[in-house]
Structures are given as C-alpha cells and as structure tokens.
Amino acid sequence: MNKVELLAPAGSLDKLRIAFLYGADACYIGGRDYSLRANATNFSNEEISEAVEYAHSLGKKVYVTVNIVFHNDNFKGLVDYLKCLSEYGVDAIIVSDPSIIDIVRDNNIDIKIHLSTQMSTANYESVLFWKKEGVERVVLARECSKENIKEIIDKTGLEVECFLHGAMCSSYSGRCVLSNYFTKRDANRGGCAQICRWCFDLNDGNNDIEDETKFTMSTKDLSLIRYLADMIDIGITSLKVEGRMRSNYYIATVISTYRSAIDDYYDNKLTEDKIEYYSKVLNRVANRESTSQFFDKFPGVDEQYFLGRQEVSNQDFLGIVLDYDQTSKMVTLTQRNYFKPGDTVEMFGPNINTFSFKIPDIYDEEGNKLEVARHPKEIIKFKLDKEVYKDDIMRIKVF
C-alpha cells in the first residue's frame, strides 16, 4: 500500500529543509516569476536546482508553481524557464493556464503537469478533460465535499490532491478580484492584498451605521485533522498544507503533527485521544479559528468571520536548537520569544519524543548569567539532562 503524500509549502530553502526534516514527503515552491505568492521569498533558478537535488537525496519530491493567470507579457522567457525546471529534475509543475500544457507539449519539455487549485476544479467531467490533456494530477478546489471528491476519484482514476490545512479564500479558489478592485494588486498574478480580511463600515444604503463592530467577510481557516482517516480512505493521493509565507515554527509544528497522525493511521494507532491532542496543537499554532469548511457539510455562519475577529500573533515559539554538548549537557539555541528561568516549556523535534521541563539558569554566548531572554535571535545556553538535536524547537508548554 502506498502511503498518502504529505505535501508542505516552502517559501525559501530553509523552510524547505525544515519541512522535510519534520516529515513532509514533498514540497511545493515558487520561482521568482510565474508564481502566485509574490510576497514570499521564493526561489532563484539556482535555488530550485539546489532544492531538487536536496529533496531527491532524501527520496522526496519538489513541485514548482507556475500558476499565475498569464497575460501576454508574462510569456517572455517561459519556455527557457520550463526547460530549466525539466533539466533540474523538478517532479512536476503546478499550472492554472491551459496554454502551459500546450507549451510543454509543443516544445517537448519532459516534465509532469499538475493542475492548480486556481482552476477551481470541482467535478469529474473537468478532471476527465484535463486527464485527456495529459495532466497527471489535479489539485481540487477547496470547495469540494467528501462525497464530491470520492466520486471524482472513482470516475476518473486520476491522482487527486486536496488541501488539508491552512487559509481559505472567500471566493472560489482563484476567482477573487477584490484585491484588484481595491488596491490594483492582482490576486491572480501573485499580489493578493487579502481584502476579505479587512474591516468595513456598515451602511444601510443611505447612512453609515455607527457601531464599534466592523463587518468582515473572511473565512475561518481549514483544518481536517478530524477527517484525516476519511481523506485517506477515499483515495486522495496527496494532502496539501497551505502556507508558503508561514514561519519555520508554523511549518515544523503543522507538518510534524500531521506526520504523526498519518503514521498513526497506518499503524492503527490514530485514537480519538490522539486526534484531540493533535487538534489542540494545530489550533494553538494558528492565529485564526479553523473548521472543516466544505468537506463534511456546506459551510454556514460558523465557518465565517462576519463581525470582526482577533488575529493574535503566536508567541509560543521560544527558540531553535543550534547544538547540544553531550559532555557538559549544555543546550545552545537561538532565542525567538521571551522566556526566563522557572518557565515550564517543552521540546519537540523529528528525533525526540516531545517532553516538558522547567528552564534552569540561562546564559548568553559569553557565559554571562541572564535574568531573562528577551532579545530575538540572541544565542542562549542552559543545561538539560535530556539530549536534543540541531533544529529541535523549544516552545511554551502546550497543555
């Protein structure tokens, strides 16, 4: 039995490394052009080559997004770019414009094609059409239900990729033009200003309604941890996490949580207690509420923010391990958020079982004792009896 693929976002080489370290089977990345996340760091051609080489050395995959809505002036240099991606050994490109399929075919470019969620594919007839065109995988619209997805898989036999976790669009995936209208930033060419998350004054048609509460139209985030078994059972090929602009801590937490849950499923160990714990971890790392959205029912008022919301910046991420000296039992880490001796924290990482402990005396890089760690990126040292490893993460104790 082939395990379902866990697909992670990566906005930079370092995020790609973290995603693979914490359990991703594949990463999707964007180049400097033709990609929908213009505000992410994104990858130069040389970095794409390096990312593919690194992934393949681990037996993992890299998919590159080429999924903007193309205008005439966007085609310049595209053929050469696609040929480079083929030469680098990219495992697939993710496209939304049908012209890219013809360009790949007409220029004999040896590369697999996945259809982006930007095409809002939500029925089996469309999937059968794209299958005839040579597409090897379809990333379905986030608006598909469980029954909808299963019918598509059963009637097409094509690989299907579905979003598992992350932000949602207030419109059908890829169909919003609010950003273009309000800010002249083209959402479908990488410049979305996320207008749906703005707060608006209320008006009855003639007069503004005076109220401290502002109107919003933002959807809550997607989280399908409680439906993970269903997603695997119906035959989804790849489970996708959204978030190329998210932090290393977010990527490590979300990917490691779903990695554990997927492995538990195949080992027949995915109990209700574990699902409850994983759900709490995922909710803790997010700054918005999450729901199952369209998967189990048509979403209603509880799946949206209509009258304001709070997006509190997550302060759980305390530091990332740089080194552990087995002789002195001294941890060296780069600090990220405030902590002090006596705080109860926990360590998690790909090679350790999560454990909690109280922060002992802490020291700076020169060995000076500190009362508190309050400067982000400062090098902090302290003793710890349990061995930890480079890139393990220290956070506030979750529960």
Side-chain angles (χ1 to χ4, degrees), residues 216-354:
T216 64
M217 62 189 87
S218 177
T219 64
K220 296 178 181 179
D221 282 359
L222 174 71
S223 179
L224 290 172
I225 183 65
R226 297 185 183 279
Y227 296 92
L228 178 66
D230 291 333
M231 298 183 83
I232 298 173
D233 288 343
I234 64 176
I236 295 171
T237 300
S238 181
L239 301 177
K240 186 172 194 171
V241 174
E242 180 274 340
R244 277 191 279 154
M245 294 174 63
R246 298 280 195 166
S247 69
N248 283 11
Y249 173 64
Y250 179 91
I251 296 300
T253 303
V254 173
I255 295 302
S256 64
T257 301
Y258 279 111
R259 175 77 278 151
S260 295
I262 290 169
D263 291 346
D264 284 341
Y265 168 86
Y266 285 104
D267 292 336
N268 294 314
K269 295 178 180 178
L270 189 58
T271 63
E272 285 299 321
D273 286 346
K274 285 191 173 183
I275 291 172
E276 185 65 25
Y277 172 76
Y278 294 146
S279 180
K280 288 179 179 179
V281 171
L282 293 169
N283 288 336
R284 179 83 183 214
V285 76
N287 60 354
R288 290 189 297 274
E289 294 177 70
S290 62
T291 75
S292 56
Q293 293 295 349
F294 290 82
F295 188 80
D296 62 321
K297 64 183 182 306
F298 194 84
V301 65
D302 293 333
E303 281 68 47
Q304 290 275 132
Y305 292 110
F306 288 112
L307 297 175
R309 70 195 187 283
Q310 289 184 333
E311 293 188 7
V312 180
S313 177
N314 185 283
Q315 304 295 314
D316 287 359
F317 180 22
L318 301 180
I320 187 164
V321 174
L322 298 175
D323 183 53
Y324 180 79
D325 187 293
Q326 291 183 326
T327 302
S328 64
K329 300 187 181 301
M330 189 70 75
V331 176
T332 303
L333 59 75
T334 304
Q335 183 257 0
R336 285 295 191 276
N337 280 297
Y338 174 102
F339 64 88
K340 65 185 185 304
D343 287 349
T344 300
V345 301
E346 63 184 21
M347 283 280 190
F348 75 100
N351 299 306
I352 61 173
N353 293 321
T354 301

Side-chain angles (χ1 to χ4, degrees), residues 5-10 12-29 43 50-63 91 251-252 255-256 259 350-351:
E5 178 182 82
L6 178 57
L7 177 56
S12 67
L13 274 171
D14 192 44
K15 290 177 182 177
L16 177 132
R17 183 182 62 82
I18 290 293
F20 284 143
L21 180 64
Y22 277 82
D25 299 305
C27 281
Y28 62 101
I29 68 176
F43 289 68
E50 184 178 344
V52 173
E53 184 177 356
Y54 176 67
H56 289 178
S57 74
L58 301 173
K60 303 192 177 190
K61 296 180 179 181
V62 170
Y63 310 132
D91 295 282
I251 296 300
I255 295 302
S256 64
R259 175 77 278 151
N351 299 306

Side-chain angles (χ1 to χ4, degrees), residues 5 31 45 54 72 110-111 122-123 170 192 272 292 319 327 378 384:
E5 178 182 82
N45 282 19
Y54 176 67
N72 290 333
D110 183 20
I111 198 163
N123 65 79
S170 290
C192 183
E272 285 299 321
S292 56
T327 302
E378 184 177 16
L384 186 64

Side-chain angles (χ1 to χ4, degrees), residues 103-115:
I103 289 171
V104 167
R105 184 165 47 213
D106 294 346
N107 289 274
N108 297 312
I109 299 171
D110 183 20
I111 198 163
K112 292 181 178 180
I113 296 174
H114 294 176
L115 192 73

Side-chain angles (χ1 to χ4, degrees), residues 339-341 360-365 367-375 378-381:
F339 64 88
K340 65 185 185 304
D361 291 339
I362 58 175
Y363 305 88
D364 66 17
E365 204 169 2
N368 300 308
K369 191 173 180 178
L370 302 174
E371 292 185 3
V372 63
R374 58 165 57 93
H375 303 295
E378 184 177 16
I379 305 300
I380 302 292
K381 298 182 178 235

